[in-house]
Amino acid sequence: MATKYKRVLLKLSGESLMGSKSYGIDPDMLQHYSHQVKALVERGVEVAIVIGGGNIFRGLQAADSGIERVTGDYMGMMATVINAMALQSAMEGNGIYTRLISAIEMKEIAEPYIRRKAIRHLEKGRVVIFSAGTGSPYFTTDSAAALRANEINADVILKGTRVDGIYTSDPEKDPAAKKFDDISFAQVISLGLSVMDMTAFTLCQENNLPIIVFDINDHGNLIRIIDGEKVGTLVQG
Ligand code: GTP
Protein backbone atom coordinates (compact mmCIF):
# COMPACT_ATOMS: atom_id res chain seq x y z
CA MET A 1 0.00 0.00 0.00
CA ALA A 2 1.33 3.42 -0.93
CA THR A 3 1.97 5.65 2.04
CA LYS A 4 0.42 9.10 2.25
CA TYR A 5 3.76 10.77 2.91
CA LYS A 6 7.07 9.84 1.32
CA ARG A 7 9.45 12.02 3.30
CA VAL A 8 8.68 13.28 6.79
CA LEU A 9 10.36 15.37 9.41
CA LEU A 10 9.58 14.07 12.87
CA LYS A 11 9.94 16.56 15.69
CA LEU A 12 10.44 14.93 19.07
CA SER A 13 10.44 16.93 22.26
CA GLY A 14 13.35 16.46 24.60
CA GLU A 15 10.97 16.57 27.52
CA SER A 16 9.02 13.56 26.34
CA LEU A 17 12.28 11.62 26.31
CA MET A 18 12.16 11.82 30.12
CA GLY A 19 9.20 9.45 30.06
CA SER A 20 8.29 8.75 33.66
CA LYS A 21 11.54 10.18 34.98
CA SER A 22 11.92 13.74 36.23
CA TYR A 23 15.20 14.34 34.43
CA GLY A 24 17.34 12.86 31.67
CA ILE A 25 16.59 10.02 29.30
CA ASP A 26 14.19 7.15 29.91
CA PRO A 27 15.48 4.05 28.06
CA ASP A 28 11.89 2.89 27.56
CA MET A 29 11.16 6.07 25.61
CA LEU A 30 14.19 5.50 23.39
CA GLN A 31 12.83 2.05 22.57
CA HIS A 32 9.34 3.44 22.06
CA TYR A 33 10.58 6.01 19.55
CA SER A 34 12.85 3.51 17.82
CA HIS A 35 10.06 1.00 17.26
CA GLN A 36 7.73 3.64 15.86
CA VAL A 37 10.37 5.00 13.51
CA LYS A 38 11.35 1.51 12.42
CA ALA A 39 7.78 0.84 11.31
CA LEU A 40 7.97 3.88 9.05
CA VAL A 41 11.33 2.92 7.59
CA GLU A 42 10.01 -0.57 6.84
CA ARG A 43 7.24 1.04 4.81
CA GLY A 44 9.84 2.86 2.76
CA VAL A 45 9.19 6.28 4.30
CA GLU A 46 12.17 8.62 4.45
CA VAL A 47 12.50 9.90 8.00
CA ALA A 48 14.42 12.88 9.32
CA ILE A 49 14.30 13.68 13.02
CA VAL A 50 14.84 16.84 15.02
CA ILE A 51 14.94 16.34 18.75
CA GLY A 52 14.77 18.95 21.50
CA GLY A 53 16.87 19.14 24.63
CA GLY A 54 14.43 20.27 27.32
CA ASN A 55 14.92 17.13 29.40
CA ILE A 56 18.52 18.14 30.00
CA PHE A 57 18.72 21.90 29.64
CA ARG A 58 16.35 24.71 28.72
CA GLY A 59 18.07 27.71 27.21
CA LEU A 60 15.40 30.24 28.03
CA GLN A 61 15.24 29.38 31.71
CA ALA A 62 18.99 29.68 32.00
CA ALA A 63 18.65 33.47 32.16
CA ASP A 64 17.12 33.13 35.66
CA SER A 65 20.22 31.32 36.85
CA GLY A 66 22.58 34.07 35.73
CA ILE A 67 23.66 32.36 32.52
CA GLU A 68 23.67 34.71 29.57
CA ARG A 69 20.89 34.09 27.05
CA VAL A 70 23.15 33.20 24.14
CA THR A 71 25.29 30.88 26.28
CA GLY A 72 22.12 29.22 27.54
CA ASP A 73 20.94 28.69 23.99
CA TYR A 74 24.22 27.02 23.05
CA MET A 75 23.95 24.82 26.14
CA GLY A 76 20.49 23.83 24.97
CA MET A 77 21.92 22.93 21.56
CA MET A 78 24.49 20.71 23.27
CA ALA A 79 21.65 19.02 25.13
CA THR A 80 20.00 18.12 21.81
CA VAL A 81 23.23 16.47 20.69
CA ILE A 82 23.23 14.27 23.79
CA ASN A 83 19.63 13.23 23.10
CA ALA A 84 20.35 12.66 19.43
CA MET A 85 23.31 10.42 20.25
CA ALA A 86 21.14 8.37 22.61
CA LEU A 87 18.44 8.10 19.96
CA GLN A 88 20.92 7.11 17.28
CA SER A 89 22.36 4.42 19.49
CA ALA A 90 18.92 3.04 20.38
CA MET A 91 17.79 3.06 16.76
CA GLU A 92 20.90 1.32 15.51
CA GLY A 93 20.39 -1.27 18.27
CA ASN A 94 17.03 -1.90 16.62
CA GLY A 95 18.57 -2.39 13.20
CA ILE A 96 17.81 1.05 11.75
CA TYR A 97 20.49 2.71 9.64
CA THR A 98 21.03 6.25 10.84
CA ARG A 99 23.22 9.27 10.26
CA LEU A 100 23.74 11.85 12.96
CA ILE A 101 24.25 15.42 11.80
CA SER A 102 25.13 18.40 13.94
CA ALA A 103 24.48 22.03 13.07
CA ILE A 104 27.50 22.92 15.21
CA GLU A 105 30.64 21.31 13.98
CA MET A 106 31.82 18.46 16.21
CA LYS A 107 33.03 16.09 13.61
CA GLU A 108 34.37 13.49 16.02
CA ILE A 109 30.81 12.56 16.91
CA ALA A 110 28.54 13.82 14.14
CA GLU A 111 28.63 14.74 10.48
CA PRO A 112 28.56 18.42 9.64
CA TYR A 113 25.36 19.62 8.02
CA ILE A 114 25.56 19.51 4.24
CA ARG A 115 22.10 19.71 2.77
CA ARG A 116 22.68 17.58 -0.31
CA LYS A 117 24.43 14.90 1.73
CA ALA A 118 21.54 14.79 4.19
CA ILE A 119 19.10 14.35 1.31
CA ARG A 120 21.27 11.59 -0.15
CA HIS A 121 21.19 9.75 3.19
CA LEU A 122 17.40 9.93 3.16
CA GLU A 123 17.26 8.61 -0.40
CA LYS A 124 19.38 5.68 0.72
CA GLY A 125 16.89 4.83 3.46
CA ARG A 126 18.90 6.13 6.39
CA VAL A 127 17.18 7.95 9.20
CA VAL A 128 18.81 11.34 9.50
CA ILE A 129 18.93 12.88 12.96
CA PHE A 130 19.52 16.61 12.95
CA SER A 131 21.06 17.81 16.19
CA ALA A 132 22.25 21.12 17.67
CA GLY A 133 19.13 22.93 16.52
CA THR A 134 19.80 25.53 13.85
CA GLY A 135 23.31 26.07 15.21
CA SER A 136 22.38 29.63 16.14
CA PRO A 137 21.05 31.15 19.35
CA TYR A 138 17.58 32.71 19.54
CA PHE A 139 16.05 29.81 17.63
CA THR A 140 14.12 26.91 19.08
CA THR A 141 14.30 23.29 18.00
CA ASP A 142 10.86 23.83 16.47
CA SER A 143 12.51 26.41 14.22
CA ALA A 144 15.22 23.89 13.41
CA ALA A 145 12.51 21.39 12.50
CA ALA A 146 10.75 23.91 10.26
CA LEU A 147 14.02 24.97 8.63
CA ARG A 148 15.32 21.45 7.96
CA ALA A 149 11.91 20.20 6.82
CA ASN A 150 11.82 22.94 4.21
CA GLU A 151 15.42 22.39 3.19
CA ILE A 152 15.00 18.65 2.62
CA ASN A 153 11.61 19.15 0.92
CA ALA A 154 9.74 17.09 3.50
CA ASP A 155 6.06 16.46 2.75
CA VAL A 156 5.02 17.20 6.32
CA ILE A 157 6.27 17.98 9.82
CA LEU A 158 5.05 15.47 12.37
CA LYS A 159 5.17 17.17 15.73
CA GLY A 160 5.01 14.57 18.47
CA THR A 161 3.62 15.93 21.74
CA ARG A 162 1.93 14.76 24.94
CA VAL A 163 -1.49 15.87 23.70
CA ASP A 164 -3.35 14.44 20.74
CA GLY A 165 -3.68 17.63 18.73
CA ILE A 166 -4.50 21.32 18.83
CA TYR A 167 -7.32 22.40 21.12
CA THR A 168 -9.34 25.59 21.56
CA SER A 169 -7.55 25.94 24.93
CA ASP A 170 -5.13 23.88 27.01
CA PRO A 171 -6.89 20.50 27.46
CA GLU A 172 -4.77 19.76 30.52
CA LYS A 173 -6.30 22.82 32.24
CA ASP A 174 -9.68 23.33 30.56
CA PRO A 175 -12.05 20.33 30.43
CA ALA A 176 -14.25 22.18 27.91
CA ALA A 177 -11.40 22.46 25.39
CA LYS A 178 -12.28 21.16 21.93
CA LYS A 179 -9.91 19.52 19.50
CA PHE A 180 -9.46 20.61 15.89
CA ASP A 181 -9.09 17.85 13.31
CA ASP A 182 -8.03 20.36 10.66
CA ILE A 183 -7.09 23.99 10.98
CA SER A 184 -5.54 26.57 8.66
CA PHE A 185 -2.38 28.53 9.40
CA ALA A 186 -4.43 31.75 9.41
CA GLN A 187 -6.93 30.32 11.91
CA VAL A 188 -4.14 29.29 14.29
CA ILE A 189 -2.87 32.87 14.24
CA SER A 190 -6.27 34.58 14.49
CA LEU A 191 -7.32 32.35 17.40
CA GLY A 192 -3.97 32.90 19.14
CA LEU A 193 -3.28 29.15 19.42
CA SER A 194 0.21 27.92 20.01
CA VAL A 195 1.46 25.15 17.76
CA MET A 196 5.09 26.11 17.41
CA ASP A 197 6.80 29.39 18.13
CA MET A 198 6.04 32.08 15.55
CA THR A 199 9.39 31.86 13.76
CA ALA A 200 8.90 28.16 13.12
CA PHE A 201 5.23 28.53 12.36
CA THR A 202 5.56 31.30 9.78
CA LEU A 203 8.37 29.43 8.05
CA CYS A 204 5.94 26.57 7.51
CA GLN A 205 3.11 28.90 6.53
CA GLU A 206 5.16 30.81 3.97
CA ASN A 207 6.31 27.61 2.35
CA ASN A 208 2.98 25.84 2.66
CA LEU A 209 4.46 22.97 4.65
CA PRO A 210 1.75 21.10 6.56
CA ILE A 211 2.20 20.27 10.24
CA ILE A 212 0.50 17.41 12.07
CA VAL A 213 0.41 17.69 15.86
CA PHE A 214 -0.18 14.29 17.43
CA ASP A 215 0.27 12.24 20.59
CA ILE A 216 3.63 10.53 20.29
CA ASN A 217 3.01 8.38 23.35
CA ASP A 218 0.17 6.55 21.65
CA HIS A 219 1.95 3.61 20.06
CA GLY A 220 1.05 3.22 16.41
CA ASN A 221 0.04 6.83 15.79
CA LEU A 222 2.96 7.48 13.48
CA ILE A 223 2.18 4.57 11.23
CA ARG A 224 -1.50 5.53 11.22
CA ILE A 225 -0.58 9.01 9.99
CA ILE A 226 1.64 7.55 7.29
CA ASP A 227 -1.18 5.27 6.18
CA GLY A 228 -3.42 8.30 5.78
CA GLU A 229 -5.61 7.94 8.89
CA LYS A 230 -6.75 11.12 10.56
CA VAL A 231 -4.69 11.40 13.72
CA GLY A 232 -4.12 14.54 15.78
CA THR A 233 -4.57 17.93 14.11
CA LEU A 234 -3.50 18.82 10.59
CA VAL A 235 -2.42 22.41 10.02
CA GLN A 236 -2.29 23.44 6.39
CA GLY A 237 -2.83 26.33 4.00
P1 GTP B 1 27.45 7.48 1.28
O1 GTP B 1 28.75 8.01 0.80
O2 GTP B 1 26.28 8.16 0.69
O3 GTP B 1 27.32 5.99 1.20
O4 GTP B 1 27.33 7.89 2.84
P2 GTP B 1 28.08 7.31 4.09
O5 GTP B 1 27.60 8.15 5.23
O6 GTP B 1 27.92 5.87 4.27
O7 GTP B 1 29.56 7.56 3.74
P3 GTP B 1 30.71 8.24 4.50
O8 GTP B 1 31.92 7.55 4.03
O9 GTP B 1 30.57 9.71 4.37
O10 GTP B 1 30.44 7.89 6.03
C1 GTP B 1 30.76 6.64 6.63
C2 GTP B 1 30.45 6.76 8.10
O11 GTP B 1 31.19 7.82 8.67
C3 GTP B 1 29.01 7.05 8.44
O12 GTP B 1 28.65 6.35 9.62
C4 GTP B 1 28.97 8.53 8.70
O13 GTP B 1 27.95 8.90 9.61
C5 GTP B 1 30.34 8.76 9.28
N1 GTP B 1 30.82 10.10 9.00
C6 GTP B 1 30.93 10.72 7.80
N2 GTP B 1 31.39 11.97 7.95
C7 GTP B 1 31.59 12.15 9.27
C8 GTP B 1 32.07 13.24 10.06
O14 GTP B 1 32.39 14.32 9.59
N3 GTP B 1 32.12 13.02 11.41
C9 GTP B 1 31.74 11.84 11.98
N4 GTP B 1 31.82 11.72 13.30
N5 GTP B 1 31.31 10.81 11.27
C10 GTP B 1 31.22 10.95 9.93
Side-chain angles (χ1 to χ4, degrees):
M1 189 176 78
T3 55
K4 179 157 188 205
Y5 301 106
K6 173 95 182 72
R7 179 177 292 168
V8 302
L9 189 134
L10 174 63
K11 167 72 204 318
L12 297 173
S13 88
E15 254 169 67
S16 60
L17 208 52
M18 286 193 295
S20 51
K21 297 170 62 161
S22 56
Y23 173 84
I25 298 170
D26 181 345
D28 289 342
M29 288 307 289
L30 288 176
Q31 291 306 317
H32 172 69
Y33 288 159
S34 300
H35 291 148
Q36 292 210 62
V37 170
K38 187 168 186 172
L40 301 196
V41 175
E42 284 171 347
R43 289 282 173 89
V45 178
E46 296 175 6
V47 185
I49 299 176
V50 168
I51 188 157
N55 54 322
I56 299 171
F57 191 83
R58 286 208 153 274
L60 265 182
Q61 282 160 15
D64 303 334
S65 49
I67 298 170
E68 190 203 351
R69 164 74 200 259
V70 171
T71 303
D73 282 353
Y74 278 116
M75 291 170 73
M77 288 180 236
M78 297 297 106
T80 72
V81 179
I82 293 173
N83 284 339
M85 290 173 76
L87 191 60
Q88 177 181 41
S89 195
M91 290 205 294
E92 299 227 314
N94 281 287
I96 308 169
Y97 293 104
T98 68
R99 290 292 182 268
L100 175 61
I101 292 177
S102 172
I104 295 175
E105 196 171 312
M106 44 181 98
K107 61 182 179 347
E108 286 75 8
I109 50 177
E111 294 181 29
Y113 176 62
I114 300 167
R115 173 176 173 261
R116 294 175 65 122
K117 200 160 158 63
I119 291 173
R120 197 76 194 109
H121 288 322
L122 291 169
E123 288 168 351
K124 289 185 176 179
R126 299 160 182 157
V127 172
V128 171
I129 309 170
F130 292 116
S131 67
T134 63
S136 296
Y138 298 105
F139 292 100
T140 61
T141 46
D142 274 353
S143 289
L147 177 65
R148 296 300 185 227
N150 278 296
E151 285 186 276
I152 63 167
N153 304 319
D155 301 321
V156 66
I157 294 185
L158 306 176
K159 184 174 156 79
T161 67
R162 291 184 296 156
V163 282
D164 63 346
I166 302 170
Y167 283 75
T168 48
S169 55
D170 185 348
E172 287 178 349
K173 292 182 191 139
D174 178 5
K178 286 207 173 55
K179 190 186 135 196
F180 294 96
D181 288 333
D182 293 278
I183 191 166
S184 69
F185 286 103
Q187 264 181 306
V188 168
I189 294 171
S190 70
L191 296 172
L193 303 171
S194 68
V195 177
M196 290 176 158
D197 62 88
M198 276 323 262
T199 310
F201 190 77
T202 49
L203 198 53
C204 294
Q205 183 180 25
E206 280 167 11
N207 294 287
N208 220 355
L209 179 70
I211 307 165
I212 296 177
V213 179
F214 72 103
D215 180 0
I216 184 76
N217 293 319
D218 185 339
H219 201 93
N221 261 351
L222 261 182
I223 201 76
R224 282 185 208 111
I225 292 172
I226 288 302
D227 284 343
E229 270 183 55
K230 284 205 78 61
V231 173
T233 301
L234 170 64
V235 188
Q236 62 183 355

